[in-house]
Amino acid sequence: YKYKGSVAPSTQKISVAYGTSAIPTAMVNALANHASIMTTTAQSVFVDFPPAASGDYFIGFRCYAAASQGTLYLDDIAVAL
């Protein structure tokens, strides 16, 4: 995936996690945390992870920046098996 903010030097924050249900409290397995996004240039991220068991998994992206920090852009999300 790629991410970027809309206004420098505002700070955006996003975490990525997965779980066995689509509800936020089920996203207990952290994949990435970007706690200080202050760029307006897209940043590419690749995360490789093997799930502990076979089954269905859900990936969640959570923006947790303070209010009035501009816009967080997220693009080109891809999942490969």
Side-chain angles (χ1 to χ4, degrees):
Y1 60 93
K2 293 180 181 178
Y3 67 84
K4 71 177 185 173
S6 65
V7 181
S10 296
T11 303
Q12 286 289 345
K13 300 177 182 184
I14 187 172
S15 63
V16 185
Y18 74 96
T20 56
S21 176
I23 61 173
T25 55
M27 304 289 165
V28 296
N29 303 291
L31 294 173
N33 185 43
H34 309 287
S36 185
I37 301 170
M38 298 187 342
T39 180
T40 58
T41 302
Q43 304 296 303
S44 295
V45 179
F46 175 82
V47 178
D48 186 21
F49 73 98
S54 64
D56 294 330
Y57 291 93
F58 298 84
I59 299 172
F61 293 82
R62 180 179 73 98
C63 179
Y64 62 99
S68 300
Q69 295 297 305
T71 303
L72 174 69
Y73 294 98
L74 184 63
D75 200 2
D76 296 341
I77 300 168
V79 176
L81 303 177

